[in-house]
Amino acid sequence: MKRVNIKVTALAAFIGLALTGCGGDDGAPGADGANGTDGKDGKPGLTVATSATDLAVNVDKVLVASDSEVTFTVTNEKDLPVVGLEHFGFILSGLEQGQNGDANSWKLLSSESCPGSKYAKCGTLTDNQDGTYTYKFLKDVTTETAFSVTDDKTLRLIVTTGGDTLGGKTLAYANKSHDFRNNGEAPLYTKSVINNQNCTGCHDDFTIHGGHYKEVETCISCHTDNKVSSASKVFPMLAHDKHIGVISAPVGGCDNCHSENEQAVDYTNWKTVPTQETCITCHTDVNFKEGVNHWPYEDNAQCANCHTPEVVETVHLATYKGQTSRRENVHLTVTDAKMVAVPQAQKNIDSGLDTAKTGYVQLTVDILDKDGKSMNKQLDKVDFFYYSEFYINWGGQDMGMERGKILRVFTNKENFPGYVEDPIVLSYENGKTTYEIGPFELEDEFEGSLTDSYGMVTPRIWFCMDKKGGNLESCKETSSVWGQGAAGFNWLHFFDDKGLIPERPRRQIVTNEKCGSCHGMTTRDSDGMAQMTLNCRSCHAVTKNDPAYFGTTCASGSVDNDGDGILDEMIKLKSLSPRGERDWTTASNAGEECLACHNANNPPTQVVRDSHTKQGDADYVEQLTMSHPDQKVWIHAMHANNRANQGGEGWKRNVEYSADLANCVKCHEGDSFDAKYLVGRKPLALDLDYMDTYDGLDPANGKDTSGNKRYAVDAKADAYVSPTAAVCLSCHGKRAAEEGEDRRQVRKDVVSHMKQNGAQFGVELGQYTGEESCAVCHDLNNLKESHNLK
């Protein structure tokens, strides 16, 4: 496989997408056109468009010959004919059928535009004054040696228009792709592998070359082997090179882009038509002609003999689709959960803790097989779990505790200080094991009593299986057997002091379908719940393979390689690396379960702060705010490339988001981005103490617990930041680096504006007022207008 130095980045070099800022709308639509007159305004008695926000092109007739000609119609969004246009582009291509294992391939016959330029010449364009136009190609396409036109071959015409002025406004570009046979009948064969629908899962608008081209079919028609300068620029190879190892979905997940839709009728080509040309775009260590890392082959005639569709799919997709089928073998299901005021377990009672302001969660779980039937096994006595953990927190919309509580029945991690070494079993009956964990704090500095609130719980499990994935196997059999298993499905449950809550108490902010459009979707259950493949290990290092980073967060590291007693700078040593291995993926419920730890109470830790920013920096508090682990902040800041360890020249953790950052609905469900939801929310906690040295770790012992690792001097919050300001700053808080600056800089004007309207940054508890007034001006309508949302 190609070894790539991967960073999560958008495909800006390829698709020309720009991250756009806030802007107003396009104004009200113009009035319908009046009856036209002779000349440029149209034929007598014809109502023509006097304005347009969108153009539509329809091909009426096309003939390909020595004098090729096309007639087409242009209308606006009200279906009124648009006359007087002068800017057009015309791309004519032919699809040659592959022989001896070759894929069907497009050949460019002619690319022309009006007005002409140094890049393309103009033939004869006629405005028929009724919305129709006729164009005669300048080139005699029958002289193209790469393709001969016959009545049984598939042809494609691309018509582009835009850039003219109508109603005082410049018209946006529009593209029309038209596949046909020269005898006027439908094509006999195609190569519709992908289209815009495949691309817009990650990208908002597909625009390249200054926005003139907005359809991927346009790229395909022009990036042909008889047009471009090298094979690497032919569209299939170019697309692979720009995506593989770069996009945020698993490597090898061909169906991330090659997914079925009504236009992509040939979407399975990636596994049904294997060719040397496309394979080497990923497998760069292979040379088919010379027989390097593969048997020597001169052509593609024999590729499919070994690389059958079944084999190709298994090799590429088994890394996470295979895991999906394995996951079905075990479902660790929460059957009940509730908060109790007084602990039932004697061990908890004897802990000497004051239970007047605390509570305990009693959690009942059942192990189900692939048919949904109970295995009738006590969870802590089975031997096929590598880890089974439950992440729990309490406090409603804003969780009450920093990291919540983790009930670790089996674990592959060290126990954090303060966590019970052994799980407390209250009872076992008919396959259901009940545990008790606590204490949970039921008093909050900002919200008072949390007794009448609700909590959340989600499992994180891995179980061991045999190599074929058919039978559960003891994790103790061999040291590597855990790697043959699977990560179980994660289900998010809400509960109160009476039990599980049947209806969701929180608003739906994001969904797996939206996140999965970029990060990879795996499966959906009968209730419509989608499980998404996320590469959590991109940040959280695998301890088995990378022991130096054991117990670290965000791959920052607690490593002192030179022995000077100071933590090494890890910023440039780890990259965000989308991976395809089965043990590098996990399932998520749209990230909500992450709130158990990733919440406002959880201040950035010592290791995170050491790799992000340092005490004494002029922008220390603002940098910490944008690097805060609170879910609603770090998600925005990471995608906006605004965390303190992002945005620097050559840094590996940079993210160039592939869509428009202003497009809130790209991720958000409905109007869940409304600023009113942040009014009165809990401020973000900061720990401003700083520790320049640590008390030492044993480099030879990946599980050495003697050092400070995650923890700061006291790991306690001593300052706070207003919640709305923190969320807005996460996107709007940085400007581009100027000459001489090594990273993006905090926007002081934005911070000042926020402070003028009640926001507070890094204030002590007694100074925090919670009097932000952002939502007064920035209501939903204002947010939609400023973010250019329709």
Side-chain angles (χ1 to χ4, degrees):
M1 283 290 292
K2 175 181 179 181
R3 295 191 62 84
V4 289
N5 180 16
I6 308 169
K7 68 176 182 178
V8 177
T9 176
L11 314 175
F14 169 45
I15 60 176
L17 283 170
L19 298 178
T20 61
C22 302
D25 59 27
D26 293 328
D32 291 348
N35 291 342
T37 58
D38 287 337
K40 196 170 184 178
D41 291 332
K43 296 181 177 179
L46 177 68
T47 300
V48 298
T50 58
S51 66
T53 56
D54 293 297
L55 296 178
V57 179
N58 185 68
V59 175
D60 303 313
K61 184 175 62 175
V62 58
L63 175 66
V64 178
S66 56
D67 293 314
S68 301
E69 182 177 282
V70 55
T71 300
F72 57 96
T73 303
V74 183
T75 55
N76 72 353
E77 68 281 358
K78 297 181 179 179
D79 206 30
L80 291 174
V82 181
V83 302
L85 302 181
E86 298 176 347
H87 289 78
F88 292 97
F90 305 92
I91 300 173
L92 187 61
S93 300
L95 184 60
E96 198 71 77
Q97 281 189 286
Q99 305 293 326
N100 297 322
D102 292 340
N104 296 347
S105 60
W106 290 100
K107 309 294 181 180
L108 181 67
L109 301 181
S110 186
S111 177
E112 303 178 9
S113 66
C114 299
S117 68
K118 65 178 182 179
Y119 302 107
K121 297 180 179 180
C122 178
T124 303
L125 176 67
T126 303
D127 181 353
N128 299 319
Q129 299 296 302
D130 58 0
T132 67
Y133 297 78
T134 301
Y135 180 76
K136 293 185 178 180
F137 279 82
L138 182 66
K139 179 181 177 180
D140 178 0
V141 299
T142 62
T143 63
E144 175 57 53
T145 58
F147 186 87
S148 58
V149 178
T150 63
D151 284 347
D152 61 340
K153 290 186 177 182
T154 298
L155 300 168
R156 172 173 288 174
L157 173 70
I158 303 290
V159 180
T160 69
T161 187
D164 286 285
T165 301
L166 186 65
K169 293 187 176 181
T170 302
L171 297 174
Y173 287 92
N175 291 187
K176 174 64 177 181
S177 172
H178 177 66
D179 290 0
F180 62 100
R181 275 195 290 159
N182 212 28
N183 59 7
E185 297 184 11
L188 296 173
Y189 60 97
T190 62
K191 192 180 181 182
S192 299
V193 177
I194 60 170
N195 58 27
N196 276 28
Q197 190 173 336
N198 301 103
C199 302
T200 54
C202 286
H203 308 288
D204 285 334
D205 294 313
F206 190 89
T207 58
I208 57 174
H209 295 303
H212 291 213
Y213 303 143
K214 303 179 68 174
E215 303 289 338
V216 70
E217 289 86 355
T218 307
C219 315
I220 294 169
S221 301
C222 202
H223 280 267
T224 62
D225 60 5
N226 69 315
K227 162 69 174 179
V228 296
S229 57
S230 67
S232 63
K233 295 181 181 180
V234 178
F235 185 80
M237 282 62 81
L238 176 67
H240 283 181
D241 182 64
K242 297 300 181 181
H243 286 76
I244 300 301
V246 177
I247 62 175
S248 54
V251 172
C254 307
D255 59 347
N256 295 321
C257 299
H258 294 280
S259 56
E260 182 179 10
N261 61 59
E262 56 271 22
Q263 283 84 41
V265 296
D266 303 304
Y267 76 100
T268 61
N269 270 27
W270 66 273
K271 58 182 177 181
T272 59
V273 190
T275 65
Q276 300 177 29
E277 294 78 14
T278 53
C279 290
I280 61 174
T281 58
C282 292
H283 301 276
T284 56
D285 58 342
V286 174
N287 186 312
F288 291 99
K289 299 294 189 294
E290 298 180 9
V292 177
N293 292 322
H294 196 283
W295 294 287
Y297 284 115
E298 287 297 323
D299 53 39
N300 297 314
Q302 300 183 61
C303 295
N305 292 342
C306 296
H307 300 283
T308 64
E310 294 76 17
V311 169
V312 175
E313 180 170 350
T314 298
V315 169
H316 289 85
L317 301 187
T319 52
Y320 66 99
K321 280 200 170 181
Q323 185 190 38
T324 298
S325 63
R326 286 171 174 245
R327 282 176 176 161
E328 297 293 345
N329 285 275
V330 177
H331 294 264
L332 189 55
T333 302
V334 175
T335 62
D336 196 14
K338 62 181 178 181
M339 175 67 74
V340 297
V342 179
Q344 182 177 341
Q346 185 67 32
K347 188 180 294 188
N348 280 334
I349 294 174
D350 291 343
S351 65
L353 295 169
D354 178 10
T355 60
K357 296 182 179 180
T358 61
Y360 290 77
V361 171
Q362 293 178 354
L363 188 70
T364 304
V365 298
D366 196 356
I367 310 172
L368 307 182
D369 63 18
K370 60 184 177 183
D371 297 319
K373 297 179 180 179
S374 176
M375 293 184 180
N376 291 313
K377 295 179 181 295
Q378 186 170 329
L379 176 56
D380 52 290
K381 292 185 177 181
V382 298
D383 62 358
F384 51 78
F385 278 108
Y386 181 61
Y387 55 75
S388 57
E389 304 171 341
F390 296 86
Y391 289 74
I392 314 168
N393 212 327
W394 178 268
Q397 183 69 37
D398 286 312
M399 295 290 105
M401 302 179 66
E402 293 178 11
R403 293 179 177 270
K405 291 287 185 182
I406 305 176
L407 173 61
R408 290 193 159 103
V409 183
F410 297 98
T411 183
N412 64 325
K413 291 186 176 181
E414 63 179 285
N415 281 309
F416 296 121
Y419 286 97
V420 179
E421 189 76 24
D422 299 313
I424 298 175
V425 179
L426 291 185
S427 64
Y428 170 74
E429 185 177 1
N430 297 326
K432 295 179 175 61
T433 314
T434 300
Y435 298 91
E436 187 171 75
I437 185 171
F440 287 82
E441 299 169 7
L442 300 184
E443 286 289 327
D444 185 79
E445 294 278 5
F446 302 96
E447 298 184 78
S449 176
L450 301 176
T451 303
D452 297 327
S453 191
Y454 64 86
M456 54 177 283
V457 57
T458 185
R460 172 182 177 266
I461 66 174
W462 188 283
F463 48 87
C464 300
M465 303 189 70
D466 58 24
K467 291 184 178 181
K468 294 183 178 180
N471 299 297
L472 295 173
E473 189 169 313
S474 171
C475 294
K476 300 175 183 178
E477 292 296 325
T478 66
S479 59
S480 62
V481 71
W482 73 273
Q484 299 165 189
F489 288 116
N490 292 359
W491 305 110
L492 180 62
H493 304 269
F494 298 98
F495 64 94
D496 56 20
D497 59 354
K498 298 178 181 62
L500 292 178
I501 300 175
E503 295 186 3
R504 175 188 180 85
R506 295 170 58 91
R507 73 185 191 279
Q508 187 74 55
I509 301 173
V510 295
T511 64
N512 276 350
E513 288 88 344
K514 288 196 172 184
C515 296
S517 64
C518 274
H519 291 283
M521 187 69 73
T522 55
T523 187
R524 183 192 307 273
D525 76 344
S526 58
D527 297 325
M529 175 63 196
Q531 292 285 340
M532 177 176 58
T533 298
L534 282 174
N535 294 279
C536 296
R537 294 302 182 186
S538 297
C539 285
H540 296 272
V542 173
T543 60
K544 292 291 183 182
N545 301 331
D546 201 354
Y549 297 95
F550 179 85
T552 68
T553 55
C554 298
S556 304
S558 297
V559 182
D560 180 14
N561 286 314
D562 56 12
D564 63 356
I566 300 176
L567 301 176
D568 290 353
E569 186 180 38
M570 293 290 117
I571 295 173
K572 300 182 181 182
L573 299 186
K574 296 289 286 185
S575 62
L576 290 170
S577 306
R579 303 291 293 270
E581 292 88 25
R582 188 167 60 248
D583 58 305
W584 280 72
T585 60
T586 188
S588 168
N589 296 307
E592 281 189 294
E593 66 272 31
C594 302
L595 293 171
C597 293
H598 286 270
N599 56 65
N601 309 292
N602 193 5
T605 59
Q606 173 67 31
V607 169
V608 172
R609 290 183 294 137
D610 191 66
S611 66
H612 285 33
T613 184
K614 290 180 172 60
Q615 194 177 45
D617 292 346
D619 56 0
Y620 180 54
V621 171
E622 290 81 3
Q623 292 279 15
L624 283 185
T625 299
M626 283 180 273
S627 300
H628 201 284
D630 185 32
Q631 184 81 344
K632 61 183 177 291
V633 172
W634 85 265
I635 285 290
H636 288 108
M638 183 271 293
H639 284 88
N641 210 36
N642 278 342
R643 288 169 69 83
N645 64 344
Q646 294 178 291
E649 182 66 30
W651 290 14
K652 297 180 180 181
R653 295 176 64 82
N654 288 345
V655 173
E656 295 179 20
Y657 184 52
S658 56
D660 181 0
L661 275 174
N663 185 7
C664 305
V665 297
K666 188 73 175 178
C667 300
H668 279 268
E669 279 294 294
D671 295 334
S672 62
F673 58 90
D674 192 337
K676 71 179 182 182
Y677 294 119
L678 294 172
V679 175
R681 295 288 296 276
K682 188 180 295 185
L684 275 66
L686 298 179
D687 179 8
L688 299 184
D689 295 330
Y690 203 83
M691 175 182 62
D692 290 321
T693 62
Y694 71 110
D695 55 10
L697 294 174
D698 180 3
N701 181 4
K703 291 194 174 185
D704 176 21
T705 60
S706 63
N708 290 289
K709 291 195 172 180
R710 298 175 177 82
Y711 302 102
V713 174
D714 55 14
K716 297 294 184 182
D718 52 32
Y720 297 88
V721 176
S722 303
T724 310
V727 173
C728 295
L729 194 73
S730 63
C731 272
H732 296 279
K734 296 282 187 75
R735 63 166 174 79
E738 297 176 355
E739 186 175 355
E741 296 173 339
D742 67 343
R743 67 170 74 179
R744 302 181 70 191
Q745 301 294 306
V746 172
R747 292 182 59 185
K748 296 180 180 179
D749 57 324
V750 171
V751 176
S752 176
H753 169 77
M754 291 176 173
K755 288 182 177 179
Q756 289 172 1
N757 290 277
Q760 295 174 283
F761 291 86
V763 299
E764 295 180 0
L765 178 62
Q767 298 174 330
Y768 183 74
T769 63
E771 296 179 353
E772 288 180 295
S773 58
C774 309
V776 174
C777 295
H778 298 293
D779 60 8
L780 182 60
N781 289 332
N782 173 265
L783 289 173
K784 287 185 175 181
E785 180 180 357
S786 60
H787 288 81
N788 200 27
L789 302 175
K790 297 181 180 179

